[in-house]
Amino acid sequence: MNHAEEIWKTLVRATVDKKHPWRVVGFSTTGPNGPQVRSVILRTVNTDSHQLVFYTDRRSQKMADIAHDSRVALLFWNPRSNTQLRVCGIAAPQTSELIVNSLWARIPEYARKDYATLSAPGDALTGGDLVYDLDTARANFVVLNVKVLSLELLELKREGHVRFRCDLDETGHWVHQNMIP
């Protein structure tokens, strides 16, 4: 059995099934002030290029952290199967305006407000009401690609836990290693 292939199939499933537990991901970065973790939504999976795709605001702390150190860690948890997936990779914004614009075109009007606040996400709210500038929303929208370098899966089972790791080698193939749980 190709464990990496099975993991990638499950990740793809999480992008189409809005209730899949791996859709919401713990996303960790390290910036000048140390480690940070937040939840993000897995938007797309590109199995051929070993990439996971997320959306974010260019003004967010995670983008500043990635500019400081592009290495990221992600944590997926499925309570139904008691399965944890840890992913390590390199994050970078999508540079193709054609791709970013095509993804932006799919975002509903109500969701575009997430990128239209005058202040950055996480800034203090003063005055009590959010102020939006929908004309600047697209400029704040970033498609963030994470090139996956390693996958580590832990499955908790009564009859014995299972743990393995898959690392991407320089030829683009996954090297599998069983591990002690």
Side-chain angles (χ1 to χ4, degrees):
M1 174 198 293
N2 184 334
H3 291 296
E5 192 174 295
E6 290 302 313
I7 291 170
W8 283 99
K9 285 180 184 176
T10 304
L11 289 166
V12 168
R13 197 165 40 252
T15 65
V16 293
D17 177 0
K18 291 187 187 289
K19 294 187 180 189
H20 195 285
W22 283 7
R23 186 169 172 82
V24 179
V25 183
F27 190 99
S28 300
T29 57
T30 302
N33 298 323
Q36 296 289 322
V37 66
R38 75 282 287 154
S39 296
V40 295
I41 304 296
L42 179 62
R43 301 295 180 168
T44 308
V45 172
N46 187 331
T47 55
D48 293 336
S49 62
H50 310 113
Q51 289 187 342
L52 305 177
V53 180
F54 305 91
Y55 300 161
T56 192
D57 190 305
R58 70 172 172 80
R59 304 165 297 169
S60 69
Q61 182 61 50
K62 87 174 72 62
M63 290 305 293
D65 289 352
I66 289 167
H68 174 77
D69 185 344
S70 62
R71 296 173 300 168
V72 297
L74 298 94
L75 180 65
F76 300 79
W77 171 250
N78 185 335
R80 294 184 294 233
S81 64
N82 287 329
T83 304
Q84 170 187 276
L85 174 65
R86 295 189 319 158
V87 173
C88 291
I90 303 294
Q94 173 60 254
T95 56
S96 166
E97 284 298 310
L98 185 65
I99 292 172
V100 175
N101 286 334
S102 72
L103 293 171
W104 177 252
R106 296 181 197 166
I107 294 181
E109 289 296 322
Y110 71 86
R112 291 181 178 196
K113 287 176 72 175
D114 295 341
Y115 306 95
T117 57
L118 292 182
S119 297
D123 282 356
L125 179 61
T126 57
D129 290 326
L130 284 174
V131 179
Y132 299 98
D133 179 4
L134 291 172
D135 293 332
T136 63
R138 168 56 191 88
N140 295 327
F141 175 71
V142 173
V143 176
L144 190 60
N145 296 321
V146 174
K147 171 76 172 183
V148 176
L149 302 177
S150 69
L151 305 161
E152 187 175 305
L153 189 113
L154 173 64
E155 189 175 6
L156 304 175
K157 298 179 175 186
R158 285 183 190 259
E159 59 276 5
H161 306 325
V162 175
R163 184 175 186 175
F164 62 86
R165 179 181 175 104
C166 300
D167 292 300
L168 190 63
D169 70 13
E170 50 285 335
T171 67
H173 293 93
W174 293 102
V175 178
H176 177 87
Q177 176 64 56
N178 289 323
M179 301 174 73
I180 297 170

